[in-house]
């Protein structure tokens, strides 16, 4: 319940408590003003005054007792009955006292406990009202009796209609309250679900960042270290100072390059090759540098008009190329590699083919704790940007890796 509802209930309670006093006061003033016309004898006036005092004392008693025994119960029903009797008696003495008798119309629900008795109580209240409308009780002749009966019927029809609409409005209010309660519960459940989803999203974000860093480390530091080791192994086996110096220089360049890539990976930046060149040029340099390090003939081919792709798409294709070439160097024993980048209407394809020893799909080595990310890593990279990766290979027939990603332009 809101503060506004609480305030409305408080004012309603004050109105119901003060309403009988107000109606009694209005009825007394009007009756006193018309006493000479309607109450011609002193005995009637004294009786009316006595009943007014009795009604006031009775109201004060109820105001005190209702603090500890609020209705609806048998005490409140008794109060309602006695008040009606006093109002009826006063209306017999002066029709203007029907204002006091009509108080029963307003607080029946608060005072009468049973539904069937509420209808009877409302009917009882309509009797002094109809009598006052007929010019007083008792009714003197048959014509006035007919008028009294008609007014009594009309009053009760109006009461029934008003009561019906009031019950419907109360039912709608209860339905609205139930709906609000359900919505509040649903809101609380949604808040709890949202909190749970936030926790899951945070955990998923952490896991995704770990996978990203692991893949970046594999594609940069691990491959760089592999190249450095290969260059140093050549140095260890050669007696030519010039050749040794050349391989040491290559190892040094690889170390610098790997260090830079590692820093960029931690900062989630694009590969260094994309910092100064577009994707085709960066890929061409990657292929040439790989060929120079490994001594394997490698060619890069561009088909279609090159476009400025979104940074994530470019980085993904370049990383897949680096990983595929690293796999060729480690496993394929190839003599020739071809890398083709194709721009189409709504997608970009990347094909890396070698003439190495290939492998059978059933003999693909299981990834170990010390191994690289390999095909799984490349496939995960492509799928992260709504792409796909396929591999075709046969023993002795080489391997073809093909990646297809959406053509998303730089925003």
């Amino acid at each position: 319940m809101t503060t506004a509802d609480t305030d409305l209930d408080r004012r309603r309670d004050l109105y119901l408590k003060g309403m009988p006093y107000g109606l009694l006061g209005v009825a007394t003033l009007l009756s006193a003003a018309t006493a000479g016309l309607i109450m011609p004898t002193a005995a009637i006036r004294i009786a009316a005054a006595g009943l007014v005092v009795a009604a006031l004392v009775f109201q004060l008693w109820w105001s005190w007792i209702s603090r500890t025994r609020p209705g609806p119960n048998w005490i409140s029903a008794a109060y309602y009955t006695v008040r009606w009797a006093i109002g009826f008696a006063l209306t017999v003495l002066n029709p203007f006292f029907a204002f006091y008798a009509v108080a029963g119309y307003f607080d029946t629900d608060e005072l009468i406990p049973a539904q069937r008795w509420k209808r009877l109580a409302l009917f009882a209240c309509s009797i002094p009202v109809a009598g006052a409308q007929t010019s007083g009780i008792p009714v003197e002749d048959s014509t006035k009796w007919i008028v009294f009966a008609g007014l009594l019927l009309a009053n009760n029809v109006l009461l029934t209609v008003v009561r019906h609409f009031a019950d419907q409005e109360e039912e709608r209010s209860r339905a609205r309250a139930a709906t609000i309660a359900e919505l509040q519960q649903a809101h609380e459940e949604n808040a709890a679900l949202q909190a749970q989803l936030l926790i899951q999203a945070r955990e998923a974000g952490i896991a995704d960042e770990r996978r990203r860093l692991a893949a970046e480390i594999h594609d940069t530091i691990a491959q760089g270290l592999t190249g450095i080791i290969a260059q140093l192994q050549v140095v260890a086996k050669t007696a030519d100072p010039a050749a040794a110096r050349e391989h040491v220089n290559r190892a040094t360049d690889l170390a610098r390059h790997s260090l830079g890539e590692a820093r960029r990976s931690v900062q989630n930046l694009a590969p260094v090759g994309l910092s100064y060149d577009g994707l085709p040029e960066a890929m061409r340099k990657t292929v040439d540098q790989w060929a120079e390090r490994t001594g394997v003939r490698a060619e890069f081919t561009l088909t279609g008009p090159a476009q400025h792709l979104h940074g994530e798409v470019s980085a993904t294709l370049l990383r897949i190329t680096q990983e595929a070439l690293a796999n060729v160097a480690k496993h394929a024993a190839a003599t020739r590699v071809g890398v083709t980048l194709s721009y189409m209407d709504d997608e970009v394809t990347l094909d890396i083919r070698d003439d190495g020893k290939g492998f059978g799909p059933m003999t693909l080595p299981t990834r170990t704790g010390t191994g690289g990310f390999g095909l799984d890593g490349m496939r995960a990279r492509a799928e992260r940007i709504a792409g796909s990766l396929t591999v075709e290979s046969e023993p002795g027939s080489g391997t073809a890796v093909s990646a297809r990603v959406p053509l998303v332009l730089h925003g």
Side-chain angles (χ1 to χ4, degrees):
M1 182 177 292
T2 64
T3 303
D5 293 334
T6 303
D7 186 58
L8 182 63
D9 289 342
R10 181 180 59 81
R11 285 184 290 177
R12 182 173 179 275
D13 291 340
L14 289 175
Y15 167 76
L16 291 177
K17 290 179 180 179
M19 176 264 301
Y21 293 98
L23 292 177
L24 180 62
V26 171
T28 301
L29 289 175
L30 292 174
S31 297
T34 58
L37 297 175
I38 300 177
M39 297 184 292
T41 65
I44 295 177
R45 297 190 191 104
I46 293 172
L51 285 174
V52 169
V53 173
L56 180 59
V57 173
F58 187 64
Q59 287 297 151
L60 292 172
W61 171 83
W62 174 246
S63 297
W64 174 76
I65 199 69
S66 62
R67 295 177 183 175
T68 57
R69 302 290 296 275
N73 50 46
W74 70 270
I75 297 179
S76 62
Y79 156 74
Y80 186 96
T81 303
V82 174
R83 187 186 66 185
W84 175 86
I86 296 175
F88 181 83
L90 285 170
T91 305
V92 170
L93 299 177
N94 190 318
F96 283 109
F97 278 114
F99 279 101
Y100 178 59
V102 85
Y105 283 160
F106 299 96
D107 55 9
T108 303
D109 289 333
E110 284 71 23
L111 300 176
I112 306 299
Q115 186 65 33
R116 63 179 182 276
W117 296 113
K118 290 179 182 179
R119 298 191 184 93
L120 180 60
L122 291 173
F123 176 78
C125 287
S126 69
I127 295 175
V129 173
Q133 292 168 339
T134 313
S135 72
I137 300 175
V139 180
E140 298 175 353
D141 54 48
S142 58
T143 301
K144 288 188 176 182
W145 272 111
I146 294 173
V147 173
F148 170 78
L151 289 172
L152 186 62
L153 177 63
N155 283 327
N156 279 277
V157 169
L158 289 174
L159 281 173
T160 301
V161 172
V162 172
R163 185 75 180 181
H164 173 71
F165 286 118
D167 289 342
Q168 283 191 332
E169 183 61 29
E170 184 178 358
E171 182 63 28
R172 283 196 293 267
S173 297
R174 283 196 295 265
R176 284 194 293 268
T179 301
I180 292 173
E182 291 176 359
L183 290 175
Q184 181 66 26
Q185 182 179 359
H187 176 72
E188 293 174 355
E189 292 176 354
N190 286 338
L193 179 59
Q194 184 178 11
Q196 184 179 357
L197 290 176
L198 287 174
I199 293 174
Q200 292 177 349
R202 179 177 176 273
E203 293 175 348
I206 292 173
D208 187 66
E209 182 65 10
R210 287 173 177 169
R211 287 192 294 269
R212 183 191 71 81
L213 285 174
E216 291 291 332
I217 290 171
H218 171 260
D219 291 343
T220 56
I221 298 176
Q223 292 184 16
L225 290 175
T226 301
I228 293 170
I229 292 171
Q231 298 299 323
L232 293 179
Q233 286 176 341
V234 174
V235 172
K237 295 177 181 179
T238 184
D240 185 358
R245 188 178 306 108
E246 180 184 354
H247 288 287
V248 169
N249 290 335
R250 289 182 182 178
T252 303
D253 291 340
L254 278 173
R256 290 196 185 100
H257 178 80
S258 298
L259 179 59
E261 287 285 17
R263 288 171 176 168
R264 300 179 69 82
S265 297
V266 171
Q267 298 173 7
N268 198 16
L269 299 176
V272 67
L274 296 173
S275 299
Y276 309 102
D277 300 314
L279 177 61
E281 186 60 26
M283 198 167 289
R284 188 184 305 276
K285 289 181 179 180
T286 297
V287 173
D288 292 343
Q289 290 169 1
W290 180 85
E292 184 180 357
R293 288 197 308 269
T294 60
V296 178
R297 181 182 175 186
E299 296 179 354
F300 173 76
T301 303
L302 174 66
T303 63
Q307 301 189 55
H308 192 189
L309 300 177
H310 188 278
E312 186 69 19
V313 177
S314 297
T316 298
L317 292 174
L318 184 57
R319 291 301 193 202
I320 290 175
T321 301
Q322 292 171 339
E323 174 65 17
L325 291 175
N327 287 343
V328 172
K330 287 187 289 185
H331 307 296
T335 61
R336 185 175 179 181
V337 177
V339 178
T340 303
L341 179 66
S342 303
Y343 287 86
M344 301 181 186
D345 292 337
D346 56 356
E347 67 179 9
V348 183
T349 63
L350 171 65
D351 297 291
I352 302 100
R353 301 177 180 273
D354 68 71
D355 61 354
K357 60 184 180 181
F359 58 88
M362 302 304 295
T363 61
L364 189 64
T366 304
R367 177 182 163 187
T368 64
T370 59
F373 280 72
L375 297 176
D376 290 340
M378 290 188 287
R379 184 172 289 108
R381 284 186 181 277
E383 292 175 351
R384 191 176 297 130
I385 57 171
S388 62
L389 185 134
T390 58
V391 179
E392 297 178 2
S393 182
E394 291 183 7
S397 299
T399 302
V401 176
S402 178
R404 308 171 71 91
V405 298
L407 192 151
V408 181
L409 299 180
H410 180 74

